[in-house]
């Protein structure tokens, strides 16, 4: 497996896109002609430059490589990510070495960054394979035990679960001529909004800020761990316990938390005062209610005595009024019965003008004209029944499904004023003479059949 060993005195790294000649497209780091001999950081064996059939330059072990060298089994993706990290470290002016092991073998750094004066070291771990949270915490603790800071880097699209457990970031792979971008793990605290805001930064500036101490790991306080973010036009709520951020943002979070605690304390004190005031007001209210209850009880007793006296008077008045009302209703009922009796007598006199033959002629004429002019069959009652609410006229209904009212036959002219609903129905009479006995109220509603006043003779 080809690889490149980075030495503090090696030349500057440039990233370009190229074809490895095996169907895979990766980013290879070209290096100017080295001024020192290159060797494998794992086994110390010498390496040499080669070119693939497509013209890609890479490095391989010289013949005789020890079979125990672990870098020979490393994936291109892992190797190229380490090269990107090393290039970003060297751009800051720090030294970068790949696969640096501990003296006791307790850890192995993918990329070890060392300050120019040699007083600071920081491990950069490109973590591609799955790892348990407890394991990554243990590995971080081993670095810390030797005074080495560490940053874990994940290039996967899905954020790993351990990103909150240790100082870590997630990288987004470049497209075309773009650079690697840190798209999760870096945030700034917005004091006005009272929460963290995720920031995306290119890899090289991020590495520079971390190495120079401008970005440090910061624990997110419980209140601020839920962070909104828009990814591919979708709104997400992230939960983060740890961020890489500036000292200003860390102080802003602390300041905001102190402000919030002061506000909550002030709110609690205000609520306590309010509760005490409400309790005092409740005590006063109950006292006033008791005094008012006693007063109202006394007033109620006085009112009962007055009401009992007034009730006796009203009952006597009611008995007298009831007797008068009963007498009045009896008179009104007698008057109504007299009116109805007189109306019935007038109606009988009105219909008594016609003989049975004339009545039959009238209803026959009604049925014939309804059929002839309106193509409507009507029901002729066998025994004409006068309707009181139609001025004692005889209602005639159509035959069929709906059985609708067709007309009122011969209502009594003297009783029309007592039946206002006649104004909405057709009225049928024998002739113009009968029609003239009605007033102008029903003038446009009356139809006559021009029947003679006398019975028509039957021709045999």
């Amino acid at each position: 497996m080809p690889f490149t060993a980075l030495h503090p005195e090696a030349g500057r790294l440039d990233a370009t896109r190229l074809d490895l000649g095996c169907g895979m497209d990766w980013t290879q780091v070209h290096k100017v002609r080295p001024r020192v001999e290159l060797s494998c950081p794992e086994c110390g064996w010498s390496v040499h430059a080669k070119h693939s059939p497509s013209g890609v330059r890479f490095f391989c072990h010289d013949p005789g490589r020890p079979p125990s060298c672990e870098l020979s089994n490393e994936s291109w993706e892992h190797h190229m990510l380490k090269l990107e990290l090393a290039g970003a470290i060297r751009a800051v002016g720090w030294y970068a070495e790949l696969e640096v092991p501990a003296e006791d073998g307790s850890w192995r750094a993918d990329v070890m960054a060392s300050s120019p004066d040699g007083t600071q070291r920081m491990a950069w771990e490109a973590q591609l394979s799955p790892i348990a949270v407890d394991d990554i915490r243990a590995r971080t603790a081993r670095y810390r035990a030797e005074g080495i800071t560490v940053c874990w880097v994940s290039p996967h699209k899905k954020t790993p679960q351990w990103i909150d457990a240790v100082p870590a970031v997630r990288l987004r792979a470049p497209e075309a001529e773009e650079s690697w971008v840190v798209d999760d793990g870096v945030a700034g605290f917005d004091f006005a909004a009272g929460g963290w805001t995720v920031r995306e930064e290119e890899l090289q500036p991020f590495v520079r800020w971390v190495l120079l101490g401008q970005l440090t790991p910061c624990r997110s306080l419980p209140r601020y761990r839920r962070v909104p973010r828009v990814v591919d036009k979708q709104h997400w709520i992230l939960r983060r316990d740890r961020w890489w951020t500036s000292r200003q943002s860390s102080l802003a979070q602390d300041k905001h938390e102190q402000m919030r605690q002061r506000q909550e304390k002030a709110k609690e004190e205000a609520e306590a005062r309010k509760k005490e005031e409400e309790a005092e007001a409740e005590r006063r209210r109950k006292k006033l209610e008791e005094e008012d209850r006693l007063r109202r009880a006394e007033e109620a007793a006085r009112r009962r005595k007055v009401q009992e006296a007034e009730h006796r008077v009203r009952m006597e008045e009611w008995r007298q009024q009831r007797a008068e009302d009963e007498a009045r209703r009896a008179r009104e009922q007698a008057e109504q019965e007299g009116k109805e009796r007189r109306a019935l007598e007038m109606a009988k006199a009105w219909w008594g003008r016609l003989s049975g033959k004339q009545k039959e002629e009238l209803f026959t004429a009604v049925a014939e004209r309804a059929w002839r002019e309106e193509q409507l069959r009507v029901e002729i009652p066998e025994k004409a029944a006068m309707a009181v609410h139609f001025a004692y006229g005889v209602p005639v209904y159509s035959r069929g499904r709906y059985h609708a009212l067709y007309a009122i036959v011969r209502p009594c002219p003297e009783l029309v004023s007592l039946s206002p609903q006649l104004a909405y129905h057709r009225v049928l009479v024998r002739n113009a003479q009968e029609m003239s006995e009605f007033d102008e109220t029903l003038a446009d509603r009356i139809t006559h059949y021009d029947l003679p006043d006398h019975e028509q003779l039957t021709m045999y």
Side-chain angles (χ1 to χ4, degrees):
M1 175 65 67
F3 58 90
T4 301
L6 295 181
H7 190 276
E9 299 181 3
R12 184 175 181 274
L13 301 178
D14 295 317
T16 58
R17 302 292 292 179
L18 50 92
D19 184 5
L20 299 180
C22 57
M24 300 175 64
D25 185 21
W26 297 94
T27 301
Q28 184 179 14
V29 178
H30 293 284
K31 182 158 58 62
V32 300
R33 183 181 301 278
R35 292 170 293 182
V36 297
E37 183 179 356
L38 296 180
S39 61
C40 175
E42 169 66 19
C43 60
W45 203 258
S46 60
V47 296
H48 63 277
K50 294 183 66 175
H51 288 81
S52 68
S54 58
V56 177
R57 187 178 184 223
F58 57 94
F59 295 87
C60 292
H61 284 91
D62 288 336
R65 170 185 60 82
S68 61
C69 182
E70 295 183 2
L71 289 183
S72 60
N73 298 321
E74 186 179 55
S75 68
W76 266 106
E77 184 181 14
H78 193 187
H79 187 63
M80 299 310 295
L81 178 55
K82 290 192 296 185
L83 293 180
E84 289 289 342
L85 292 171
I89 293 168
R90 290 177 55 79
V92 184
W94 284 43
Y95 297 96
E97 297 179 86
L98 273 63
E99 297 298 330
V100 177
E103 294 182 0
D104 58 358
S106 60
W107 49 262
R108 176 186 294 275
D110 287 340
V111 181
M112 180 63 74
S114 302
S115 62
D117 58 4
T119 59
Q120 301 179 58
R121 288 195 300 171
M122 182 173 183
W124 293 79
E125 292 286 350
Q127 188 64 36
L128 278 69
S129 59
I131 185 172
V133 173
D134 291 341
D135 293 341
I136 201 168
R137 282 176 175 166
R139 292 175 62 180
T140 302
R142 288 196 292 269
Y143 281 120
R144 190 180 300 114
E146 296 192 23
I148 301 174
T149 57
V150 63
C151 180
W152 296 85
V153 179
S154 170
H156 298 299
K157 292 184 178 180
K158 184 177 180 181
T159 302
Q161 294 182 351
W162 45 260
I163 196 169
D164 287 335
V166 294
V169 293
R170 184 184 67 184
L171 294 182
R172 186 174 66 237
E175 296 182 3
E177 299 299 328
E178 298 178 359
S179 302
W180 286 79
V181 174
V182 178
D183 68 349
D184 196 352
V186 179
F189 192 84
D190 188 340
F191 188 87
W196 292 97
T197 302
V198 179
R199 304 291 175 82
E200 291 190 2
E201 300 292 346
E202 292 186 1
L203 177 60
Q204 185 167 324
F206 168 73
V207 172
R208 181 175 69 253
W209 295 335
V210 171
L211 294 180
L212 299 181
Q214 296 174 343
L215 292 182
T216 57
C218 174
R219 298 302 298 267
S220 178
L221 298 177
R223 181 180 178 87
Y224 310 105
R225 288 174 182 171
R226 292 171 59 86
V227 180
R229 189 180 185 187
V230 178
V231 180
D232 295 333
K233 298 182 179 180
Q234 294 184 355
H235 292 268
W236 296 85
I237 298 295
L238 306 180
R239 183 177 179 84
R240 294 288 182 267
D241 295 341
R242 190 190 306 264
W243 298 102
W244 282 97
T245 189
S246 64
R247 178 174 175 80
Q248 291 83 349
S249 289
S250 180
L251 294 176
Q253 179 185 226
D254 295 339
K255 183 178 178 181
H256 192 277
E257 179 64 13
Q258 294 171 3
M259 179 191 70
R260 184 186 66 82
Q261 291 178 358
R262 289 194 302 270
Q263 292 175 345
E264 289 185 351
K265 183 178 180 180
K267 182 179 178 182
E268 291 174 356
E269 293 175 351
E271 290 179 351
R273 289 194 300 270
K274 182 178 179 182
K275 288 182 180 179
E276 181 60 29
E277 293 172 357
E278 290 176 350
E280 180 62 26
E282 182 66 14
R283 289 191 291 270
R284 291 195 300 269
R285 184 186 65 80
K286 289 183 177 180
K287 181 179 179 181
L288 293 175
E289 283 183 351
E290 181 63 19
E291 294 174 354
D292 186 63
R293 185 187 66 80
L294 296 175
R295 179 182 55 78
R296 285 187 283 107
E298 294 175 356
E299 292 179 353
R302 289 194 297 268
R303 282 198 302 271
R304 278 197 302 271
K305 293 180 180 179
V306 175
Q307 289 172 355
E308 288 174 358
E310 292 176 349
H311 178 69
R312 287 192 294 270
V313 175
R314 285 197 300 270
M315 286 299 296
E316 185 62 27
E317 293 175 350
W318 176 77
R319 291 189 188 96
Q320 294 177 1
Q321 184 65 37
R322 182 179 180 184
E324 293 175 359
D325 291 344
E326 289 178 352
R328 178 179 53 78
R329 284 195 296 270
R331 290 193 301 271
E332 291 176 351
Q333 184 176 0
E335 292 176 0
Q336 182 64 26
E337 291 176 351
K339 289 180 181 179
E340 292 177 356
R341 185 169 55 254
R342 289 191 297 273
L344 181 59
E345 291 174 355
M346 285 188 290
K348 288 181 177 179
W350 168 252
W351 280 97
R353 295 182 185 181
L354 303 181
S355 64
K357 186 67 174 177
Q358 288 176 316
K359 293 177 184 179
E360 183 179 348
E361 289 175 352
L362 175 57
F363 284 108
T364 301
V366 170
E368 289 178 352
R369 178 175 291 185
W371 174 251
R372 182 176 63 253
E373 295 182 359
E374 302 179 37
Q375 298 296 310
L376 180 68
R377 295 191 182 278
V378 297
E379 294 181 352
I380 302 301
E382 295 181 1
K383 184 177 181 180
M386 296 179 293
V388 176
H389 53 283
F390 288 134
Y392 288 87
V394 177
V396 176
Y397 294 89
S398 61
R399 293 181 183 179
R401 177 178 178 183
Y402 299 103
H403 194 67
L405 179 63
Y406 175 67
I408 310 301
V409 179
R410 276 191 102 244
C412 182
E414 291 84 355
L415 304 177
V416 168
S417 60
L418 302 178
S419 303
Q421 58 268 43
L422 280 177
Y424 303 102
H425 300 288
R426 182 187 305 179
V427 177
L428 307 177
V429 297
R430 284 179 55 82
N431 49 38
Q433 177 60 33
E434 288 186 352
M435 181 176 175
S436 65
E437 297 186 36
F438 293 85
D439 57 21
E440 296 180 356
T441 305
L442 301 178
D444 58 341
R445 309 291 298 177
I446 301 177
T447 302
H448 70 84
Y449 290 89
D450 199 22
L451 296 175
D453 292 334
H454 56 80
E455 294 184 6
Q456 299 185 41
L457 300 179
T458 305
M459 300 299 293
Y460 294 97

